[in-house]
């Protein structure tokens, strides 16, 4: 979803050719893009239920607060839920702040500095784990797990139908 002209899906398709990869984006983006090998480009509007049925939906830095407010994010996640079969998952690669941001010691120090950097370049603050849980619940999804990656601005959040 919002797939940078299929580049991320192209990397997945090259590593795992047995996976059928689609990149969903706005029609104007899709019409001017060349699909990477193993990727089908699919144009539509996520706010109008155009998301095709799929087993897994992957979004990387797409649900940032600077792009969508809470209601829009819930609507996007609801569209994802509607496109999933039972047992399907939404995988989100986004920043996740600790719920307690009152201290800059320990493991959250770098994450908080990254969040301040986002604010300095005009982006809104990242969401906390509790905020992700609330958004998922409001969209009829549940957070199965959240895990850090080696990049402090990118956690993996896995959701499934509630």
């Amino acid at each position: 979803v919002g797939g940078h002209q299929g580049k991320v899906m192209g990397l997945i398709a090259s590593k795992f050719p047995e996976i059928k990869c689609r990149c969903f984006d706005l029609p104007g983006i899709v019409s001017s893009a060349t699909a990477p090998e193993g990727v089908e480009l699919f144009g539509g509007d996520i706010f109008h239920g155009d998301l095709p049925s799929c087993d897994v939906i992957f979004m990387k830095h797409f649900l940032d607060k600077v792009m969508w407010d809470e209601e829009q994010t819930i609507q996007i996640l609801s569209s994802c839920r509607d496109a999933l079969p039972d047992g399907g998952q939404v995988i989100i690669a986004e920043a996740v702040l600790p719920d307690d941001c009152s201290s800059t010691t320990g493991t959250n120090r770098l994450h908080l500095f990254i969040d301040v950097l986002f604010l300095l370049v005009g982006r809104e603050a990242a969401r906390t784990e509790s905020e992700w849980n609330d958004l998922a619940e409001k969209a009829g999804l549940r957070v199965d797990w959240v895990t850090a990656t080696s990049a402090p601005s990118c956690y993996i959040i896995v959701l499934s139908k509630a």
Side-chain angles (χ1 to χ4, degrees):
V1 174
H4 299 94
Q5 302 174 344
K7 292 176 185 166
V8 173
M9 288 295 100
L11 292 171
I12 292 171
S14 70
K15 184 86 170 165
F16 303 99
E18 68 278 9
I19 297 176
K20 181 179 177 182
C21 293
R22 292 179 174 161
C23 174
F24 180 80
D25 213 325
L26 292 171
I29 302 293
V30 168
S31 68
S32 65
T34 301
E37 187 174 337
V39 177
E40 175 188 0
L41 298 178
F42 193 93
D45 186 333
I46 199 161
F47 293 107
H48 292 112
D50 296 340
L51 193 60
S53 178
C54 48
D55 296 325
V56 176
I57 297 170
F58 177 77
M59 294 180 277
K60 180 176 182 268
H61 297 301
F62 180 73
L63 293 176
D64 193 291
K65 280 184 176 180
V66 74
M67 292 189 56
W68 315 109
D69 64 27
E70 183 174 315
E71 290 306 312
Q72 291 169 316
T73 302
I74 292 166
Q75 189 175 358
I76 291 167
L77 290 173
S78 295
S79 292
C80 292
R81 181 205 60 230
D82 293 345
L84 292 174
D86 290 340
Q89 294 180 313
V90 178
I91 301 172
I92 302 169
E94 286 283 351
V96 177
L97 287 178
D99 286 324
D100 179 11
C101 296
S102 62
S103 170
T104 57
T105 60
T107 58
N108 71 349
R109 184 180 179 106
L110 184 56
H111 302 92
L112 295 174
F113 288 157
I114 293 291
D115 196 48
V116 169
L117 179 63
F118 283 174
L119 293 170
L120 290 173
V121 296
R123 294 177 66 185
E124 295 226 11
R127 292 183 172 96
T128 65
E129 190 166 343
S130 292
E131 288 174 314
W132 282 111
N133 278 302
D134 289 344
L135 289 169
E137 183 179 325
K138 289 175 182 174
L141 297 164
R142 72 171 177 270
V143 175
D144 292 331
W145 50 272
V146 176
T147 190
T149 68
S150 59
S153 66
C154 187
Y155 277 58
I156 301 298
I157 308 159
V158 178
L159 311 175
S160 60
K161 286 186 175 183

